[in-house]
Structures are given as structure tokens and as C-alpha cells.
């Protein structure tokens, strides 16, 4: 085996250095910055986290971030601590520039050399700061005792807003194509037309503002530009859209998720992020009835064209869909063939109840033991309400189940059942990855709720009945 001597390694290192191209060089002069420790260069990933990419210590008055690999464009940060950092643009085209500022007022004091992108962005930020100061002066100058104070304030603020709008439009037009202009544009609110259309009966359309705002919500975001991933505003807008503008029922969520994911396909990186974000939000949603969203996303995207998935990852999605698809809200509960303690066959279809609660538990489970007295008390009242309870042990030992029944008194008001023939692996067949796990079924044995705690059974059924009543009245 060949061995390199130390001198040979040094020569090799020197040669490599001499041929290495410095792909980025960002010098930061920061008055008030630390003198005895490293600070970091990072970029946003969502609004609430950042990814560190480099570190530097003060030398000759500057923190010098440099590297041989180009930086991906985005909003970057000079991080002094987890609570103190200053952001700026890295476009990906400007490889070397200098930042000079102080820590007292970064925006007001900052100056850039060789970075037109940051000149644009911080020119905009400084202008907004000036306008905020003017707004404060207007409020101070108006006498609140003046009967015309509100009218005067509105007029002056309207003039100020017009000035802001004109500045933004001019900036966007003059700097079209720059990343700074895209960042500024993406942070502008959609302007809703003041003229509200009329309904056929002559009344104003009260839903117009909402529908217009939602339809144009993504107009200012350039999904084709992968740099938006490394900004705080993409995640912010996703959260606002799905929280404030999307009705949280399955069909609505699926339709709107498809819309946003389709927009994101203009850039593969953005597509992967948006798909991940929506999937992560709805995979284990606490809102009843949204379990089909994950199944849809998996079948429509991950199992069709997610070429970035490994074989193992693909299999996990396929396996998860296989488990969840038959257990979606609204589906008829999968066939359950079990036995009672007297060796009688029992199926869910035999239940004559208005509602059937299938309650999976383990006799060895601590949570199941703690919940048993509550379940017994609930079962005493449930029968009179037309509710049948199937108390199904996921263990395959009859003696353990009998001991549990005797200890907690579950024999009187519910059916105690087990899988005598070992037909089921409950985790795969009924998604019982933890016990206890409950399913609430209607009279047609359709799933209307799952993983509802015992103390919420009645409230959930009342909510369901109220919802059904409202649906029937609206038809």
C-alpha cells in the first residue's frame, strides 16, 4: 500500500489550494459584534428554523465567510445567538460582497458593497421604516379632541399608503427578475377590488372578498424559483392558506392541497418541500375526518412520481396506505370475526346498535387498565342510548382476558371479545399501533370517528348528529 509522506501531503494541499476557486466570500463588519467567539452564517428553512452553513471569527475587523462550494440562493442570516441574528439576501449570482452595520439598528445602519440585490431589499426596508415613523408622527399631530380627528387621520394615512404602493410598484418594475424583487412581491398582500359584485337578487356578494383573496393568494409567489425554500415566507403563506382559507373537511383539503402542489411542481425542490409540508400537516391530523388526505397524497404523489424515495421509503408509504385506506372516515368498518368468552362467533355486522364502539385494548396495557373503570361506567349508560360496545382484546391469550374481565367488571354491559383463530395482526388490520384504540361506527357500520377518548364518546356522537342534521337541512 502506498503511503504519502507529510511533505508530499503538504505539497498536494498547496496545489489544491492554488487551484481551488472561492465560490463565495461574504465579509461582515459588525460594530457591537462578539470579538472572542465564532458567529455563524445560516439560511432560513421555514420561518422558525435555520440551517448553519459556515462560521467565522473576527479577524482584522471583519467576520469572513468563505467557501469553495457556491451558496444556494435564499434569505441568509448572520447569527450571533439563537435570539440575535440579522438577515440579508444571497442571490446565488453575487459571489463576493461586503456588509457593514452595527447591532443597535441593523436596517438603518447597514451598507452593502457589490450587492445590488441587498441594496434593493434594504432600500425597501428603510423606506418602510421611514413610512412607519411618518405614520407615528401623523398620529401624534392629530388632536384626539378634534371632532374631525378620525376623518383627518384616515385621509393622511391614505396618502401615506398611496406613497408606499407607488414606491413598491416602481421598485418591482425597475428591478424585475431580481431575487430581491421576488422577495418584496411575495410579501405583498393581495389587493381586493373595492367594487363588490351583486347577487342575482341585487344584494352585495358577501363572499366575494374571501373568494377573490383565496383565488389570488399565490399570485405573488414564484414557485419556479427554488430560492424561496430558503426564505421564511413560503412556510408562513402555507400555514395561513390552510388555516384561514381552507375549510377543514376532507374534500376541501384534498382539492386545495392538489392546487398548491400543482403550483409547486414548477420547481422540483419546491415541489418536494410543499408536498412534505402538506403531508406532515395532515398525516396525523387531530381533526376527525381528514384521515383520507394522507391516503390521497400518498397515492397521487409519493407512489406515482416521487423518484427521490428510496425503495424502503416507497414501501413504507405503500404499506401505510394499505393499512389506512380501508379505515378512512366514511368507509364501512372492515370485517371483524372474533369470539366471546363462551366461544361464540361475533362480527361487527351483528350489532343492532344505533352506534357501535369497537374498543381495542390489551389486558397487559397500563393505559387500558387505568381506563377500564371509566369504560365500565360509560357502558352502563350507553345501552339505553342504543350504543353497543365491542371490547376487543388484541392479545391472543384467553386467560389474560378473563382475568381482566373479572378484575374490572367488564362482563355486564359490553361484549368481551378476542381473536381466537389468530386471524388478525391488529396493528396492520386496524391500525392499532397503541392501546386503547377506539372506532365509532354508525348504524350502517361506517366509521364516523376514531381514537376518541372515552370521556369524549357522547360529545362526539352529539357533534356528529348535529352535523348530520345541518347537512340534511341544507339539502
Amino acid at each position: 500500500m502506498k503511503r504519502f509522506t507529510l511533505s508530499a501531503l503538504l505539497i498536494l494541499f498547496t496545489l489544491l489550494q492554488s487551484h481551488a476557486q472561492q465560490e463565495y466570500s461574504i465579509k461582515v463588519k459588525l460594530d457591537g459584534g462578539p470579538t472572542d467567539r465564532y458567529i455563524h452564517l445560516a439560511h432560513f428553512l421555514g420561518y422558525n428554523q435555520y440551517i448553519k452553513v459556515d462560521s467565522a471569527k473576527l479577524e482584522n475587523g471583519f467576520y469572513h465567510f468563505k467557501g469553495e462550494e457556491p451558496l444556494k440562493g435564499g434569505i441568509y442570516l448572520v447569527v450571533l445567538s439563537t435570539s440575535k441574528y440579522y438577515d440579508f439576501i444571497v442571490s446565488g449570482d453575487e459571489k463576493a460582497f461586503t456588509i457593514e452595520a452595527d447591532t443597535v439598528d441593523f436596517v438603518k445602519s447597514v451598507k452593502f458593497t457589490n450587492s445590488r440585490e441587498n441594496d434593493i431589499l434594504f432600500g425597501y426596508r428603510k423606506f418602510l421604516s421611514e413610512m412607519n415613523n411618518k405614520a407615528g408622527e401623523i398620529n401624534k399631530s392629530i388632536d384626539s379632541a378634534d371632532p374631525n380627528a378620525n376623518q383627518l387621520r384616515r385621509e393622511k394615512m391614505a396618502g401615506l399608503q398611496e406613497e408606499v404602493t407607488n414606491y413598491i410598484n416602481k421598485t418591482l418594475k425597475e428591478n424585475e427578475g431580481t431575487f430581491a424583487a421576488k422577495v418584496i412581491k411575495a410579501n405583498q398582500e393581495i389587493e381586493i377590488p373595492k367594487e363588490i359584485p351583486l347577487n342575482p337578487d341585487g344584494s352585495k356578494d358577501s363572499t366575494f372578498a374571501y373568494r377573490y383573496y383565496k383565488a389570488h393568494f399565490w399570485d405573488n409567489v414564484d414557485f419556479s424559483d427554488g430560492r424561496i425554500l430558503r426564505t421564511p415566507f413560503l412556510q408562513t403563506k402555507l400555514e395561513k392558506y390552510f388555516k384561514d382559507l381552507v375549510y377543514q373537511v376532507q374534500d376541501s383539503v384534498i382539492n386545495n392541497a392538489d392546487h398548491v402542489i400543482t403550483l409547486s411542481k414548477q420547481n422540483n425542490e419546491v415541489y418536494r418541500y410543499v408536498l412534505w409540508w402538506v403531508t406532515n400537516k395532515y398525516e396525523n391530523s387531530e381533526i376527525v375526518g381528514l384521515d383520507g388526505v394522507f391516503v390521497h397524497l400518498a397515492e397521487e404523489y409519493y407512489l406515482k412520481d416521487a423518484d427521490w424515495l428510496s425503495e424502503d421509503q416507497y414501501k413504507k408509504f405503500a404499506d401505510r396506505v394499505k393499512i389506512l385506506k380501508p379505515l378512512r372516515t366514511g368507509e364501512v368498518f372492515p370485517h371483524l370475526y372474533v369470539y366471546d368468552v363462551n366461544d361464540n362467533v361475533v362480527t361487527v355486522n351483528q350489532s343492532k346498535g344505533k352506534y357501535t364502539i369497537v374498543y381495542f385494548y390489551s389486558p397487559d396495557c397500563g393505559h387500558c387498565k387505568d381506563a377500564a373503570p371509566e369504560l365500565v361506567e360509560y357502558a352502563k349508560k350507553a345501552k339505553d342510548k342504543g350504543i353497543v360496545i365491542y371490547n376487543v382484546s388484541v392479545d391472543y391469550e384467553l386467560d389474560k382476558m378473563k382475568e381482566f374481565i373479572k378484575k374490572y367488571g367488564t362482563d355486564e354491559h359490553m361484549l368481551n371479545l378476542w381473536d381466537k383463530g389468530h386471524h388478525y395482526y391488529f396493528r396492520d388490520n386496524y391500525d392499532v399501533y397503541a392501546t386503547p384504540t377506539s372506532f365509532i361506527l354508525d348504524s350502517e357500520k361506517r366509521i364516523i370517528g376514531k381514537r376518541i377518548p372515552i370521556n369524549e364518546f357522547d360529545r362526539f356522537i352529539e357533534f356528529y348528529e348535529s352535523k348530520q342534521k345541518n347537512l340534511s337541512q341544507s339539502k
Side-chain angles (χ1 to χ4, degrees):
M1 184 176 72
K2 291 184 179 180
R3 293 181 182 272
F4 283 102
T5 64
L6 179 59
S7 58
L9 287 171
L10 286 171
I11 292 168
L12 179 62
F13 181 71
T14 304
L15 286 170
L16 288 172
Q17 274 200 318
S18 64
H19 287 89
Q21 184 180 358
Q22 198 172 83
E23 286 292 337
Y24 73 89
S25 172
I26 302 173
K27 289 184 176 182
V28 181
K29 186 176 182 180
L30 194 61
D31 291 344
T35 59
D36 58 347
R37 61 180 174 84
Y38 284 92
I39 65 173
H40 305 285
L41 178 68
H43 64 71
F44 276 106
L45 186 65
Y47 66 80
N48 56 357
Q49 61 179 325
Y50 55 80
I51 306 299
K52 293 178 184 177
V53 295
D54 201 355
S55 299
K57 202 171 182 180
L58 190 66
E59 291 182 15
N60 301 319
F62 287 89
Y63 304 96
H64 191 187
F65 301 105
K66 55 186 175 180
E68 296 172 7
E69 294 292 326
L71 293 175
K72 292 184 177 181
I75 300 294
Y76 278 66
L77 308 136
V78 172
V79 182
L80 276 59
S81 68
T82 53
S83 60
K84 195 170 187 179
Y85 46 82
Y86 308 100
D87 68 328
F88 59 96
I89 276 182
V90 170
S91 67
D93 300 320
E94 299 171 339
K95 295 182 179 180
F97 57 90
T98 302
I99 306 171
E100 296 182 57
D102 64 49
T103 58
V104 177
D105 191 334
F106 184 83
V107 172
K108 186 177 180 180
S109 65
V110 72
K111 294 177 183 177
F112 294 88
T113 305
N114 297 327
S115 179
R116 178 177 172 238
E117 293 274 6
N118 281 295
D119 287 339
I120 297 165
L121 179 63
F122 281 85
Y124 161 74
R125 288 181 174 179
K126 288 177 182 181
F127 173 78
L128 288 188
S129 180
E130 290 172 10
M131 292 300 101
N132 283 331
N133 291 337
K134 283 187 178 181
E137 290 169 6
I138 288 172
N139 283 324
K140 287 180 183 177
S141 68
I142 296 175
D143 184 358
S144 58
D146 186 339
N148 298 315
N150 289 336
Q151 178 66 24
L152 187 61
R153 184 180 290 106
R154 279 195 297 269
E155 289 174 358
K156 289 192 174 184
M157 289 297 185
L160 207 62
Q161 183 57 52
E162 186 178 357
E163 192 177 344
V164 170
T165 301
N166 291 338
Y167 175 91
I168 291 172
N169 291 338
K170 183 172 181 287
T171 299
L172 295 179
K173 185 177 181 181
E174 291 178 351
N175 300 287
E176 188 176 0
T178 64
F179 186 48
K182 292 181 180 183
V183 170
I184 294 169
K185 185 177 181 180
N187 284 280
Q188 303 310 304
E189 277 289 1
I190 298 300
E191 189 174 340
I192 300 169
K194 294 177 182 177
E195 193 69 33
I196 299 175
L198 302 178
N199 293 315
D201 63 1
S203 62
K204 288 186 176 181
D205 183 354
S206 61
T207 67
F208 171 73
Y210 160 77
R211 289 187 293 103
Y212 185 93
Y213 183 76
K214 182 180 178 183
H216 294 273
F217 185 82
W218 297 105
D219 286 3
N220 293 336
V221 177
D222 183 0
F223 282 98
S224 70
D225 194 328
R227 293 174 293 187
I228 66 172
L229 284 179
R230 290 167 288 280
T231 70
F233 62 76
L234 178 58
Q235 181 185 349
T236 302
K237 291 188 81 71
L238 284 168
E239 289 189 356
K240 181 177 178 65
Y241 185 76
F242 282 95
K243 179 184 177 183
D244 297 342
L245 301 177
V246 176
Y247 188 44
Q248 297 299 300
V249 296
Q250 186 166 289
D251 288 347
S252 174
V253 172
I254 287 174
N255 289 336
N256 284 280
D258 285 345
H259 172 61
V260 179
I261 291 168
T262 299
L263 289 174
S264 75
K265 283 189 171 185
Q266 297 172 60
N267 180 282
N268 195 48
E269 271 192 296
V270 177
Y271 167 51
R272 286 176 61 173
Y273 176 83
V274 171
L275 178 57
W276 166 82
W277 187 91
V278 178
T279 305
N280 188 59
K281 179 174 177 63
Y282 289 104
E283 182 176 5
N284 295 302
S285 175
E286 293 181 0
I287 301 174
V288 175
L290 296 184
D291 44 355
V293 175
F294 171 79
V295 173
H296 170 80
L297 295 173
E299 289 188 322
E300 192 64 27
Y301 302 104
Y302 288 103
L303 300 180
K304 274 188 179 179
D305 63 3
D307 55 6
W308 62 87
L309 293 180
S310 67
E311 226 177 281
D312 184 55
Q313 289 170 328
Y314 183 92
K315 185 178 183 302
K316 284 179 179 177
F317 272 102
D319 289 346
R320 194 80 185 118
V321 168
K322 185 178 179 182
I323 292 170
L324 291 179
K325 192 170 184 178
L327 296 171
R328 290 172 297 173
T329 303
E331 296 290 330
V332 173
F333 191 72
H335 182 68
L336 181 64
Y337 186 96
V338 284
Y339 290 79
D340 64 16
V341 292
N342 297 316
D343 214 28
N344 297 310
V345 173
V346 179
T347 67
V348 167
N349 289 336
Q350 291 173 354
S351 172
K352 304 298 182 184
K354 184 179 180 182
Y355 298 100
T356 302
I357 297 174
V358 182
Y359 187 86
F360 292 104
Y361 78 101
S362 167
D364 292 329
C365 158
H367 292 299
C368 303
K369 294 174 182 177
D370 292 340
E374 186 179 9
L375 182 65
V376 169
E377 286 303 309
Y378 178 80
K380 290 177 182 177
K381 304 171 186 176
K383 193 173 182 180
D384 293 337
K385 300 175 184 177
I387 298 171
V388 175
I389 300 174
Y390 280 38
N391 194 35
V392 183
S393 171
V394 299
D395 288 358
Y396 302 111
E397 298 177 49
L398 180 59
D399 289 343
K400 279 188 178 181
M401 187 179 82
K402 286 182 175 179
E403 187 179 333
F404 188 93
I405 294 169
K406 183 178 180 181
K407 182 173 181 179
Y408 295 102
T410 62
D411 54 327
E412 287 190 51
H413 304 285
M414 64 188 85
L415 295 169
N416 293 278
L417 308 165
W418 72 301
D419 180 20
K420 175 186 175 182
H422 294 204
H423 298 110
Y424 307 106
Y425 177 48
F426 290 99
R427 185 184 184 92
D428 286 355
N429 296 112
Y430 299 97
D431 198 31
V432 183
Y433 55 80
T435 50
T437 291
S438 63
F439 287 84
I440 301 180
L441 318 178
D442 67 8
S443 59
E444 302 299 319
K445 309 305 179 289
R446 291 185 297 253
I447 300 167
I448 62 171
K450 61 178 74 171
R451 306 193 192 286
I452 310 294
I454 297 167
N455 62 350
E456 295 289 334
F457 282 169
D458 281 344
R459 190 182 303 177
F460 175 80
I461 290 171
E462 288 169 10
F463 167 77
Y464 171 78
E465 290 181 341
S466 174
K467 185 179 175 182
Q468 293 303 110
K469 183 178 179 181
N470 290 336
L471 285 173
S472 63
Q473 288 177 349
S474 64
K475 290 180 181 178

